Amino acid sequence: MATTRFTLLVQERHWDSYDKFCIHFSEAAKRAAERENDPRLARADVSRSSFDRWMGRKGTFKGTPRHDAYLVLRHMFNMSPERLFEQVEPVPRPSIDFTTKATVPSTLAPEFDDPLAVVAQTHRLTSSNADAPVLMMVTQSITSIVSRYEALGPHQLAGEARVIREMLHGVLGGQQPPRVRAELFRLASQAAGLLGYMAVNAGARFEVVNAYCTEAELLASEIGEVSMQMWASGTRSFGLYYQKRYAEADDAASAGIALDPDNPQAIRLLVNGRSRALARLGDRSGAEAAIGRALDLSDQQLSLPDGLTSCISFDPYSMPRTLANAITTRLSLGDTAEVVAHAEEIEDLVEHSSSDWSRALVGLDVASALLKQNSPEVEHAMALGSKALRVGIGRPIKSVWERAKELYMGAERWHDEPVVGDYADELRSWRAQPQAGPLAEAQHAQVAP
């Protein structure tokens, strides 16, 4: 059956797929541009429909291609297009069996890929839509959010975290080599984790918190990032605690610890997750054991962060941060002397830290302890409570609201005292902030005069 010399040559060279042919045509176009001294030729390309016509897939092709294609094909095959598109009869080309010197059918000869095609395919497999500057930019953005979080709060930074998460999801829809993809999964896990933590502080529904934490856990699990899985479990426990679902909060923290009991992230899970939840459940021995294990694990670490670490940090808990959480546990257990003692131990760090929330939370815990001790110090407690609210105003978060409200409820029996009334006024002002609305459910919103 008659065909064109073009078709036979293309088939013989195994360029008969459109993609392969385009690779070789592009190389020939560059050569033609140089030899014809016409830079415009370097941009010449072939449409799929033109290629199919040249190959005779849409009927017999007569004549020759025009314009740029004519010149490129001449350099591509080293012959004139008139000769290239002549009608010829195909002749089978035998191959030689070098063992027997006999000819064998060409269909038995091994076929290999075109070298340029191999290079192009390898490039596609190792190419990435996320180069080093992109990864560095995202890493720096996440670090910046963590460092600014306690100064600005979730209401100002949640939008920024959402942009990062959405951008990472978009990039992950493309192609990257395994090393880069693993880094993108790690960063996407952190972005989801940040949003989960912010959702707790902003008083969002637990379903929102849980969705972000689940995403963070699954992405971290895919790349074997156990520490991040544990961090996400701790954030889920944190959210359940402020939903007053204490047994579930303990279960979530326990599940995280089970992933790697000796991991430094277990410190947070023990003292922020288990001990506080167990204290609320009335399990003194369990709560004390969790605090003890957290302190022992802290002592075993070769290096922990200094100072009072940011509440949203992905780093392990520092010792002052661990003690600050132990204060809350001791308060729930009614150990008022230990609350005051721990507070004095970290007082200087708290007062000189950049964390207004930590100052507010520790102050509120100490104020509640002063009311619960055998000789209540009402005036001192209310002064500490009012100071704590003034420190935390402007960036309201769920934990400050809950503890401030509990302090007021503890002071209700002294409601005739002027200092209690003053504290109630401070609490109402704090509650009146527009951003504080979602933090308090309707049943908790009332503060008596």
Side-chain angles (χ1 to χ4, degrees):
M1 180 180 177
T3 185
T4 63
R5 186 173 282 106
F6 171 84
T7 300
L8 291 178
L9 288 172
V10 168
Q11 290 173 341
E12 181 180 293
R13 299 179 188 191
H14 305 293
W15 298 350
D16 47 346
S17 80
Y18 175 66
D19 289 335
K20 285 184 180 180
F21 183 83
C22 285
I23 292 171
H24 294 282
F25 187 89
S26 177
E27 291 296 321
K30 295 173 186 175
R31 294 196 301 273
E34 183 178 348
R35 294 173 187 174
E36 299 287 337
N37 195 25
D38 184 356
R40 181 179 52 82
L41 287 176
R43 298 190 296 273
D45 57 11
V46 180
S47 68
R48 185 179 292 275
S49 61
S50 294
F51 177 68
D52 288 342
R53 284 191 294 106
W54 297 349
M55 291 293 292
R57 293 170 181 168
K58 297 184 177 181
T60 303
F61 180 75
K62 296 180 181 180
T64 59
R66 298 179 180 180
H67 308 304
D68 296 347
Y70 182 98
L71 295 172
V72 173
L73 289 171
R74 187 170 69 187
H75 290 279
M76 188 174 183
F77 291 94
N78 292 318
M79 68 175 69
S80 70
E82 286 80 9
R83 184 165 183 267
L84 188 60
F85 285 93
E86 280 181 351
Q87 296 290 312
V88 296
E89 290 292 334
V91 178
R93 310 184 88 187
S95 59
I96 302 296
D97 183 334
F98 291 98
T99 303
T100 64
K101 305 297 184 182
T103 61
V104 295
S106 60
T107 54
L108 298 181
E111 294 186 0
F112 298 97
D113 294 293
D114 180 89
L116 281 177
V118 172
V119 171
Q121 290 162 354
T122 303
H123 176 72
R124 284 197 296 272
L125 288 175
T126 58
S127 64
S128 174
N129 62 339
D131 54 15
V134 171
L135 296 177
M136 179 62 70
M137 181 272 290
V138 176
T139 301
Q140 290 174 344
S141 296
I142 289 175
T143 301
S144 176
I145 287 176
V146 171
S147 66
R148 291 179 291 142
Y149 185 65
E150 295 204 15
L152 299 179
H155 298 92
Q156 291 193 48
L157 292 175
E160 191 173 325
R162 285 185 65 197
V163 169
I164 293 173
R165 174 181 174 271
E166 290 168 9
M167 186 272 281
L168 287 167
H169 278 238
V171 173
L172 280 166
Q175 178 172 304
Q176 310 87 27
R179 172 185 53 80
V180 175
R181 194 162 184 82
E183 179 65 7
L184 288 169
F185 265 64
R186 185 184 71 82
L187 293 170
S189 175
Q190 289 186 344
L194 290 177
L195 285 163
Y197 197 100
M198 291 181 190
V200 178
N201 283 162
R205 293 180 298 114
F206 178 71
E207 289 77 11
V208 176
V209 176
N210 192 51
Y212 284 130
C213 289
T214 299
E215 178 176 307
E217 285 174 334
L218 290 176
L219 293 176
S221 174
E222 285 294 323
I223 56 172
E225 281 276 349
V226 175
S227 293
M228 188 61 207
Q229 288 178 259
M230 295 174 73
W231 191 95
S233 294
T235 301
R236 178 183 287 109
S237 176
F238 176 54
L240 287 164
Y241 178 85
Y242 281 108
Q243 292 283 316
K244 297 181 172 53
R245 295 159 63 173
Y246 303 123
E248 293 173 77
D250 179 49
D251 289 343
S254 298
I257 294 168
L259 294 174
D260 186 357
D262 295 323
N263 190 298
Q265 285 292 336
I267 299 169
R268 173 178 178 238
L269 288 160
L270 285 160
V271 75
N272 181 273
R274 293 213 68 197
S275 75
R276 300 198 311 170
L278 290 170
R280 291 285 186 166
L281 292 169
D283 184 351
R284 171 177 285 276
S285 62
E288 290 181 339
I291 291 176
R293 173 59 182 154
L295 294 174
D296 289 343
L297 192 55
S298 297
D299 289 338
Q300 293 168 19
Q301 304 308 310
L302 296 177
S303 62
L304 286 175
D306 295 325
L308 198 64
T309 49
S310 169
C311 62
I312 204 171
S313 172
F314 296 113
D315 291 331
Y317 263 17
S318 64
M319 183 60 81
R321 176 63 68 183
T322 298
L323 292 176
N325 279 267
I327 287 173
T328 306
T329 300
R330 290 297 182 184
L331 180 62
S332 297
L333 293 174
D335 299 335
T336 55
E338 285 83 352
V339 170
V340 175
H342 282 323
E344 289 176 350
E345 190 173 346
I346 62 173
E347 181 179 11
D348 189 60
L349 281 172
V350 171
E351 287 302 316
H352 292 90
S353 79
S354 59
S355 174
D356 289 343
W357 291 336
S358 295
R359 283 195 288 278
L361 292 170
V362 171
L364 289 167
D365 280 345
V366 172
S368 291
L370 293 175
L371 289 182
K372 291 181 178 181
Q373 61 189 5
N374 292 334
S375 300
E377 298 180 38
V378 180
E379 187 170 343
H380 188 190
M382 294 297 95
L384 282 178
S386 295
K387 179 182 177 182
L389 287 176
R390 288 192 293 272
V391 165
I393 203 164
R395 296 177 305 284
I397 57 172
K398 181 77 170 176
S399 49
V400 170
W401 163 252
E402 290 293 335
R403 294 193 209 178
K405 177 170 55 66
E406 288 180 358
L407 174 61
Y408 177 76
M409 293 170 64
E412 278 188 311
R413 57 182 169 143
W414 294 286
H415 65 272
D416 290 333
E417 296 284 339
V419 290
V420 175
D422 292 342
Y423 177 74
D425 290 339
E426 292 277 3
L427 185 54
R428 270 192 293 269
S429 296
W430 193 97
R431 175 67 180 82
Q433 298 174 89
Q435 295 172 341
L439 304 181
E441 298 83 3
Q443 64 268 33
H444 301 311
Q446 296 299 319
V447 177

